[in-house]
Amino acid sequence: MKIAAIQMVSGSDVGANLARARHWLAEAAAQGAQLAALPEYFCLMGRQDGDKLALAESDGDVQAPIQRALSEAAAELGLWLVGGTLPLRTADPARVRNACCVYAPDGRRAARYDKIHLFRYDNGREAYDEGRVLEAGSEPVTVQAGELHVGLSVCYDLRFPELYRAMSFQPGRVACDLFCVPAAFTYTTGQAHWELLLRARAVENQAYIVAPAQGGRHENGRRTWGHSMIVDPWGEVLGCLPEGEGLVLADVDTSRLAAVRAQLPALQHRRL
């Protein structure tokens, strides 16, 4: 299956962000992608954290602008679509869920994953605390997308290998073929750890990784690391876009997955 990681430099205009996302989804489909993934916060990189609250949609509202745009794009382009993240309302008006919704090629929603690990960072020059406006999710989620068993994660989740193990070894399910990591890594942390962590998660789980990211200078002054990439189960980077809008394409080869797991059966050697 050919897959695409879409990189964006989203701003505060939701309509403009949705239009750019649709443009790159159409380009991915035109280049043969059967699954395409958008970055975290593809619909809004606001000027302040609270901007997410005003944009929040009710879960499953097929007429809400962001959810409708994702569903329509999947159906019209015939794609499995991993819709980055969007804010969904909670019982607490001061917090939203940072939700990754997956849509099937017929436009139906096939899965929803709520980001479990909330980013907090302060080096004295830049500071972030997602917990101020986000409510954490609690459950790992996987979805069958065509021939691929796909595990869902978001950005900061990448630092927690136990989440990927939990997705790989769910009762009654086979190990994941592909993990999606939509992200908006900061420039500082991305430069140090992004590729290292992506390749580690691929190697230790013997799975492909598709990691669509925000990549550039945003209206709010924030700079994101970008480097959207696709990694194979041996840790080889199959494609990478350093900065700016665009996409990365690669094939998920199930025979490659089988060969890596047969040659080095590490998943069968787990003791803990």
Side-chain angles (χ1 to χ4, degrees), residues 75-148:
E76 292 171 13
L77 298 171
L79 288 169
W80 283 97
L81 172 53
V82 181
T85 66
L86 70 151
L88 292 180
R89 292 190 182 98
T90 71
D92 180 354
R95 283 181 171 78
V96 295
R97 290 288 183 105
N98 194 20
C100 177
C101 297
V102 179
Y103 292 84
D106 62 2
R108 67 180 172 84
R109 194 175 82 180
R112 169 188 165 182
Y113 165 70
D114 296 345
K115 185 177 183 179
I116 292 175
H117 301 97
L118 303 184
F119 180 58
R120 187 172 67 189
Y121 177 73
D122 187 346
N123 65 358
R125 298 181 304 277
E126 53 183 329
Y128 305 92
D129 184 0
E130 289 188 319
R132 287 197 295 260
V133 296
L134 295 185
E135 179 182 274
S138 59
E139 297 296 326
V141 175
T142 65
V143 61
Q144 192 67 32
E147 65 184 12
L148 301 179

Side-chain angles (χ1 to χ4, degrees), residues 4-58:
I6 293 171
Q7 186 158 289
M8 295 178 63
V9 188
S10 299
S12 60
D13 185 329
V14 176
N17 295 332
L18 293 179
R20 296 311 297 161
R22 179 55 184 260
H23 166 82
W24 289 111
L25 289 168
E27 183 62 27
Q31 294 191 39
Q34 296 165 276
L35 180 149
L38 293 165
E40 184 181 28
Y41 300 131
F42 83 97
C43 54
L44 178 76
M45 287 288 282
R47 296 186 180 278
Q48 53 191 8
D49 286 345
D51 291 350
K52 300 180 186 69
L53 302 177
L55 183 64
E57 297 183 350
S58 297

Side-chain angles (χ1 to χ4, degrees), residues 220-237:
N220 60 11
R222 179 176 173 181
R223 187 180 182 188
T224 45
W225 175 240
H227 291 77
S228 295
M229 64 178 67
I230 298 172
V231 184
D232 87 350
W234 196 248
E236 179 182 354
V237 177

Side-chain angles (χ1 to χ4, degrees), residues 84 106 111 197 212 247 254 272:
D106 62 2
L197 291 168
L247 55 83
T254 53
L272 299 178

Side-chain angles (χ1 to χ4, degrees), residues 164-232:
Y164 297 83
R165 278 294 199 247
M167 289 190 284
S168 287
F169 296 97
Q170 290 181 327
R173 301 297 296 269
V174 298
C176 288
D177 305 307
L178 173 70
F179 291 106
C180 291
V181 193
F185 253 61
T186 70
Y187 190 89
T188 303
T189 59
Q191 187 176 38
H193 301 144
W194 172 247
E195 181 177 332
L196 171 69
L197 291 168
L198 289 172
R199 295 178 70 190
R201 297 296 86 83
V203 169
E204 69 198 11
N205 294 290
Q206 298 184 320
Y208 283 86
I209 301 277
V210 58
Q214 296 283 350
R217 184 76 67 179
H218 301 269
E219 291 176 24
N220 60 11
R222 179 176 173 181
R223 187 180 182 188
T224 45
W225 175 240
H227 291 77
S228 295
M229 64 178 67
I230 298 172
V231 184
D232 87 350

